[in-house]
Amino acid sequence: FDFCGGLLRPVVHDAVDHAVIVFHSHFRAAEEDEEGQWMMPMQILSALQTKTRDRLAINKVAVFGRTLKKLEIPNKKSRQGTLYHVMPLD
């Protein structure tokens, strides 16, 4: 954390870290018994950009996907790619 302008803020090292922080503000991992949504990393980033009007680094989609896997977000393979089982917070 960094003390900036009277506020304690998490230190963001790069665009993927920033996307993960924004992800946790709007989504969480869906439980097995929840319907949730199965989404590709690009779909998640697009939804986050729409919700926050923030320009997230969409050129880092593959890195963001690997990060979701490391965060143990449930996932499955499909013909389109890896889908992550998420639950919107709002």
Side-chain angles (χ1 to χ4, degrees):
F1 284 90
D2 185 23
F3 191 73
C4 179
L7 298 173
L8 194 60
R9 297 181 183 181
V11 176
V12 177
H13 297 287
D14 64 17
V16 175
D17 287 345
H18 177 66
V20 169
I21 291 167
V22 174
F23 170 81
H24 284 299
S25 302
H26 296 279
F27 291 96
R28 64 173 174 79
E31 301 294 329
E32 273 188 50
D33 58 343
E34 290 180 306
E35 187 172 331
Q37 296 176 344
W38 288 97
M39 300 174 76
M40 295 176 66
M42 184 66 216
Q43 293 171 310
I44 295 170
L45 284 173
S46 294
L48 292 174
Q49 282 185 320
T50 302
K51 290 176 187 225
T52 64
R53 296 190 178 99
D54 197 353
R55 293 196 47 141
L56 301 171
I58 58 172
N59 60 333
K60 307 263 190 210
V61 176
V63 177
F64 180 66
R66 286 193 296 274
T67 303
L68 292 174
K69 197 171 281 190
K70 286 179 187 172
L71 292 171
E72 298 182 0
I73 306 297
N75 63 79
K76 67 180 180 182
K77 302 282 185 195
S78 76
R79 281 187 312 214
Q80 299 122 343
T82 304
L83 299 171
Y84 293 87
H85 197 201
V86 297
M87 189 69 137
L89 292 178
D90 35 60

